[in-house]
Amino acid sequence: MAAARGFLGTPYRHQGSRQGVGCDCLGLVRGVWRTLYGTEPEAPGPYTPDWAERADGEPLLEAAARHMPAIAVDDALPGDLLLFRWRPQAAAKHCGILDAGGRVIHAYEGHCVVSSPLGPAWRRRIAAAFRFPE
């Protein structure tokens, strides 16, 4: 949690992944991963803001599954990764890290990295949950 909370207030920057400099939601997870493990397991490559609308399959979900154990959403604990989809048939496009107190830490486009309440509107959009490796 300390690694994720260290990103709070970091400005939103598409494709960024640096604490205090700028990151998007994937960059937040990448930056936390680097803090925990030193190097990233794979590079995401360049992506456009509308990548999920143009992608086939579930690239974000599949990438998470390659490197992190999936867990039941109801079993998620603070520090676990949550993936969100905006529409039922759309690919998961947003990610955040579950925070204590029913909140989620995520990079919010047009804002910065924040800890937001994980209210009903967010909960119904959760597509999957993953645990960072031990």
Side-chain angles (χ1 to χ4, degrees), residues 5-128:
R5 288 185 182 135
F7 273 82
L8 291 172
T10 296
Y12 182 90
R13 296 287 182 266
H14 176 67
Q15 293 190 4
S17 66
R18 294 189 52 206
Q19 181 178 334
V21 175
C23 68
D24 58 14
C25 65
L26 177 58
L28 167 66
V29 176
R30 293 174 55 216
V32 167
W33 186 283
R34 286 193 309 270
T35 298
L36 296 174
Y37 309 110
T39 59
E40 296 177 51
E42 67 180 85
Y47 52 94
T48 61
D50 66 345
W51 65 267
E53 289 80 9
R54 300 182 315 143
D56 291 326
E58 291 276 3
L60 185 60
L61 199 147
E62 292 165 5
R66 283 193 294 274
H67 307 291
M68 304 173 83
I71 57 171
V73 171
D74 290 340
D75 293 339
L77 300 170
D80 289 336
L81 175 68
L82 299 177
L83 302 184
F84 300 88
R85 68 178 84 249
W86 301 131
R87 295 182 315 278
Q89 303 306 318
K93 179 178 181 167
H94 187 63
C95 53
I97 297 172
L98 186 60
D99 198 0
R103 302 179 71 83
V104 63
I105 297 172
H106 59 132
Y108 211 104
E109 186 173 1
H111 300 288
C112 62
V113 177
V114 297
S115 179
S116 300
L118 189 60
W122 279 104
R123 286 190 185 279
R124 73 173 165 263
R125 289 177 171 85
I126 297 174

